[in-house]
Amino acid sequence: MCYHAFNGASRHYACVACRLSFKGSTWPIRKRICPGCRQELVFAGYDFAAPRRRDAKAWSVVATVLAEGLTYDHRPGYGCSRLPSFRPRTPSQVRVRRRAAEQLGLPLAVTLARRDVFTPESRDELPSSPSAAQPDTT
């Protein structure tokens, strides 16, 4: 059973431009606006731990991860059915994963989520739907 499903966990939202993060309830779903720049906040996940505001390098990594549509979710020990997700923490880890994405011809989001860049993980390689797994022979 997933920890987040029953405890009313707060969602974390971030504004990368202002380097701010906020917690918001899961109900009601509404638009979240940054008080500093008046732009819409980005959903960062339930397990997002914001870096210090003055740490520009760490925020650049957060910006890259969030721009690729990934979130910070599923720490180990919460009982979620999915495996804990890896997210890069340093700019050098992002650079390595960018190069690997170019070499392997994969989307950056896939290589950002891998613990080891060149080792495929089962959740990367699964087709999105059962019909996508079988090629159309007609």
Side-chain angles (χ1 to χ4, degrees), residues 12-33:
H12 294 255
Y13 296 90
C15 176
V16 178
C18 298
R19 298 183 196 158
L20 295 174
S21 70
F22 302 93
K23 288 183 184 176
S25 67
T26 58
W27 188 264
I29 306 291
R30 62 182 174 90
K31 212 178 205 184
R32 311 271 189 219
I33 304 294

Side-chain angles (χ1 to χ4, degrees), residues 10 13 18 20-21 30 33 39 47 49 64 66 73 81-82 84 88 95 103 109 111 113 120-121 124 127 135 137:
S10 295
Y13 296 90
C18 298
L20 295 174
S21 70
R30 62 182 174 90
I33 304 294
Q39 298 293 326
D47 297 327
T64 304
L66 294 178
D73 282 332
S81 60
R82 295 186 351 197
R95 279 192 303 273
Q103 290 175 358
T111 57
E121 294 184 6
D124 298 341
T137 57

Side-chain angles (χ1 to χ4, degrees), residues 49-127:
R52 292 186 182 263
R53 193 169 183 187
R54 66 179 177 258
D55 191 355
K57 290 180 181 180
W59 275 102
S60 70
V61 173
V62 170
T64 304
V65 170
L66 294 178
E68 289 299 317
L70 300 173
T71 59
Y72 293 85
D73 282 332
H74 307 294
R75 284 190 198 159
Y78 283 112
C80 297
S81 60
R82 295 186 351 197
L83 294 172
S85 302
F86 172 82
R87 298 294 179 258
R89 298 180 63 93
T90 62
S92 64
Q93 289 177 337
V94 172
R95 279 192 303 273
V96 167
R97 281 158 175 74
R98 256 188 228 281
R99 284 190 210 121
E102 291 172 5
Q103 290 175 358
L104 298 173
L106 294 172
L108 181 59
V110 171
T111 57
L112 284 175
R114 287 182 177 178
R115 292 184 192 288
D116 181 22
V117 182
F118 294 103
T119 305
E121 294 184 6
S122 60
R123 64 177 165 246
D124 298 341
E125 311 304 328
L126 292 176

